[in-house]
Amino acid sequence: MAALEKWVTAGTAEPFYVRKKFRIGKEIEKGVARVCGLGQFIFYMNGKKVGDHELDPGWTNYRKLIQYVTFDVTDYLRPGENALGAEVGNGWFIKTDQYYTFKFPEFMPPNPNGYKPFGRYLVFALELKILYKDGSMDIISADETFRKKAHPVVMSNVYGSEIIDGRLRQKGWSGAEFDDSCWEQVLAVPENEAPEGKLEEQFQPPVKVIHTYEGRFLHKTGSREIYDFGQNMSGILEAEACGQKGDMLKFYPAEKLTADGDADQYAKGWVNVDSCITFILGEDGEWENFRMKFTYFAGRYMAVEKVYTETEPLLRSLKAHAVSSAWKTDGTFTCDDKRYEQIYDLVEKAVEANMVSVHTDCPAIERFAWQEPNHLMAPSIMYMKDGRKLWEKFLLDMRTDQHTAEDYFYDFDGNKIWPGAGLMPSQCPCYMPNVMPVPGMGSFYDIIAWGSTCILGVWWHYQFYGDIRIIQENYEAGMRYLDHLKTKMTAEGFISHGLGDWGNPEGELLRENIETVFLYADTITLKKFADILGRADDAGKLEVFAARVRQNYNEKLLIWDTEKNIWCYRAWDHPEKIFITQASQALPLYWGMVPEEKTEDVVKAFRMSLEEKQAFIAGEVGLPYVIQAARRYGMNDLTAQFILNETHPSYYAFVMDGETTLGEYWEKNPRSHCHDMMGHITEWYYNGIAGIIPEEPGFKKVKISPYLPPSVKEFSCSYSSVSGRISVHVKELQEEVVLEIEIPGNMGYEVETDSLKHRGKPVNSRIEFRR
């Protein structure tokens, strides 16, 4: 790796071109290039972009970890003169603040630990190995023989704004024939200013264009033209324009429109997202193509303003290229009630838009890698998408950023504070660490349902992909995290900081109830890991601690309700009365905390909490467990009813609102219109409706237990597991219900049809085995 660790720069914090000409005089066997440009780069060889990636390399904590990208360039090389080059832009490496950049809201205290650039200037590294058929080899590394030029992207903001000045274009710059004599020599980066992070090869799926949407003109409002791409997304804007040199076209993306039809960039109750993409024409009377390079916009609509002195410039072929790392689909679901498909599509599109080498939370506003959906949403996403390498990247980011005893921040007075060894930041990588507690909430930096991904996210990866290495790689980090959590326990034996059931529509977070269940869940999951790895001593200690947490939880929270004549879990923060929520019953049921003799009562209390509200009254933390507890205990009928309600809280209410991605909270016009954090319902599509349930890791054995919702007469569902493709088709006929299953011939299976018998018809099952 030594050759790639030599960095060069244009000596600027703004984007730049870099290139080099070289000659090949032998017959080529193979060419391999390892490339990194920070923050983002695009690599070219002999006039062509290499590969189909966008936004390389993946986002990381560049002080600890940097990814380089390996390209097979054999087919790009040729005998004689060759040229290689790259465009290098900002990304998170050096964040620019022109136009919108994230600010913490006023209800949070000022942040003394804000964003810090990772260097003084953007940098580039490369190693090209050319193997010849005679057995010899040439190696070209980035050094002072490379040449550089200022880039037409004169400003690139990681939050989606970019200024592209066509007057600075270098036509044909990446070709061997290009005359770069007026370009300047690059500068070698001094060793003491080189990026600090360890260089590792990018292994997660690269960000790619997954769909292209044409902008449809809607109307004019004032001086603005309004276009609709028909889909909320994370996108790269491309357009063709013609006018006079220096004319500008300014594009304002938005997730929604105002009442008078303008692009509405106001995030409800938060901030105005003043994102703007500017194209400056570089030619007189010529059609020019413009495309974003180093960032992406977020939204569905685009307002266009034209700034000119004489003749109005023309615009044509307005396109948005939706980008995502989640471009490989593993699961499909269709049915005759199209409302189910509309809900599924909302979640899937939100997932795609929030996967850009990290799992972001809202492309329009924060773009932070909050970690909680990487276990809460893991099964939902892993049924739909290939999450194997993505989750390996997410977990690597967590291990990279896990605190040691030496890690510190600053308090409001500038004094050092040490959050503690083993802590898992709620965001990984974390570019703006807000470690100061928020009054009444605790720290947004240290939240157990967020940090627990280092354990529970590992569990889901193991369940879906069956690879013990994921446990081996993350076990010690999980054990350190549990040790950290033990230091946060109160005298009463609870975890009492964090966010509880975040996003609960009635604001009932029940912090102690929820957070302490995760303490138990983390412990028993680590116990399973210890058993798998043969760590008998660890397993024994974990079992004892889990039993202690469980006993304390039940002694202090499990209570007899004299009015309802049942046992139920009370809310710790409502000591004056018996107060329950759906999540407060569902989580201990799901994680097996309820004493066996009281389980039936708690299930009754749970059902009553659902029937009383006639909707899911749960936030993102409680919701997956509410849905799955309802499935386990025979309440699929309530789930089928609730998700189709036409008013919030309901998934279908988002469809009725005209959304094309899932909103952040259960409300019309939420702060973010593209959040996947509450998309847990897709897990139920697969394990509740289709009934595809893994009985052994990696789906080596499955249980098929399908359910036909009341409004559905036919559905088809498939999942391509690592052990082979599983498909389930159910159709209700006049005299019978037909169940058709296809599974790999070597897969263990069990079929259970009781949940189809509510139709009152015999079930005819057919199983086909694939080779």
Side-chain angles (χ1 to χ4, degrees), residues 381-398:
I381 297 174
M382 289 174 179
Y383 273 121
M384 290 191 295
K385 302 290 185 180
D386 180 359
R388 185 168 190 166
K389 291 298 179 181
L390 282 169
W391 257 254
E392 291 175 17
K393 164 65 162 54
F394 304 156
L395 293 165
L396 172 61
D397 287 332
M398 296 194 83

Side-chain angles (χ1 to χ4, degrees), residues 503-568:
N504 185 290
E506 294 184 353
E508 298 292 350
L509 303 181
L510 274 63
R511 191 169 294 113
E512 288 79 7
N513 290 61
I514 304 301
E515 306 288 346
T516 309
V517 172
F518 282 112
L519 176 64
Y520 178 78
D522 287 351
T523 305
I524 61 167
T525 304
L526 281 170
K527 196 269 181 187
K528 293 175 184 176
F529 292 165
D531 288 337
I532 292 168
L533 298 179
R535 307 279 190 98
D537 186 54
D538 284 355
K541 293 175 182 177
L542 290 163
E543 187 172 21
V544 170
F545 181 67
R548 195 173 86 206
V549 173
R550 181 175 184 261
Q551 180 180 353
N552 181 71
Y553 195 89
N554 288 327
E555 286 177 353
K556 293 175 179 172
L557 296 180
L558 188 56
I559 191 169
W560 177 257
D561 188 331
T562 55
E563 291 185 6
K564 298 183 175 67
N565 292 316
I566 56 173
W567 289 92
C568 62

Side-chain angles (χ1 to χ4, degrees), residues 14 144 163 189 283 289 297 337 421 424 482 484 505 515 562 567 584 631 645 714-715 718 722 732 745 763:
E14 288 77 45
E144 293 88 338
I163 300 174
V189 177
E283 305 285 346
N289 179 270
F297 77 87
D337 185 341
M424 279 294 184
L482 181 62
H484 168 75
E515 306 288 346
T562 55
W567 289 92
S584 66
R631 177 188 66 81
N645 287 342
E714 182 178 12
F715 73 79
S718 71
V722 293
E732 182 180 14
V763 178

Side-chain angles (χ1 to χ4, degrees), residues 58-62 65-67 92 118 358 393 397 429 431:
W59 295 354
T60 57
N61 178 348
Y62 306 111
L65 173 67
I66 296 168
Q67 293 190 323
W92 279 109
F118 291 87
V358 300
K393 164 65 162 54
D397 287 332
Y431 298 116

Side-chain angles (χ1 to χ4, degrees), residues 357-396:
S357 79
V358 300
H359 190 172
T360 64
D361 61 332
C362 47
I365 306 166
E366 295 186 33
R367 300 197 178 182
F368 293 156
W370 293 105
Q371 285 297 323
E372 87 286 8
N374 290 332
H375 71 89
L376 296 170
M377 275 292 293
S380 289
I381 297 174
M382 289 174 179
Y383 273 121
M384 290 191 295
K385 302 290 185 180
D386 180 359
R388 185 168 190 166
K389 291 298 179 181
L390 282 169
W391 257 254
E392 291 175 17
K393 164 65 162 54
F394 304 156
L395 293 165
L396 172 61

Side-chain angles (χ1 to χ4, degrees), residues 61-199:
N61 178 348
Y62 306 111
R63 291 188 179 91
K64 296 182 178 181
L65 173 67
I66 296 168
Q67 293 190 323
Y68 66 88
V69 184
T70 300
F71 297 98
D72 184 336
V73 296
T74 307
D75 293 339
Y76 294 84
L77 296 169
R78 65 194 186 196
E81 292 295 325
N82 287 258
L84 60 82
E87 300 170 286
V88 182
N90 292 73
W92 279 109
F93 193 71
I94 302 178
K95 181 176 73 72
T96 54
D97 291 340
Q98 190 170 348
Y99 290 108
Y100 173 76
T101 189
F102 179 83
K103 298 286 195 305
F104 287 105
E106 292 182 0
F107 73 79
M108 299 177 81
N111 184 14
N113 302 286
Y115 170 83
K116 294 180 181 178
F118 291 87
R120 288 201 304 122
Y121 30 67
L122 305 182
V123 295
F124 177 74
L126 171 137
E127 179 193 78
L128 170 62
K129 287 185 178 180
I130 306 172
L131 305 176
Y132 299 108
K133 291 192 174 180
D134 65 3
S136 62
M137 178 175 67
D138 280 333
I139 298 178
I140 298 173
S141 299
D143 58 20
E144 293 88 338
T145 64
F146 280 59
R147 304 182 72 78
K148 52 96 172 177
K149 189 76 172 178
H151 199 278
V153 175
V154 295
M155 190 284 297
S156 182
N157 182 319
V158 75
Y159 282 102
S161 298
E162 205 156 74
I163 300 174
I164 305 174
D165 190 341
R167 296 168 297 187
L168 300 179
R169 275 198 175 122
Q170 299 285 302
K171 292 183 178 179
W173 72 274
S174 60
E177 301 79 13
F178 180 78
D179 180 5
D180 61 10
S181 59
C182 65
W183 287 32
E184 297 178 344
Q185 191 174 315
V186 298
L187 306 172
V189 177
E191 188 173 341
N192 65 338
E193 293 187 346
E196 301 171 49
K198 179 183 178 183
L199 276 160

Side-chain angles (χ1 to χ4, degrees), residues 447 449-450 497-502 509-511 514-515 518 621-622:
I447 319 170
W450 277 240
H497 74 287
L499 302 181
D501 188 19
W502 185 248
L509 303 181
L510 274 63
R511 191 169 294 113
I514 304 301
E515 306 288 346
F518 282 112
V621 177

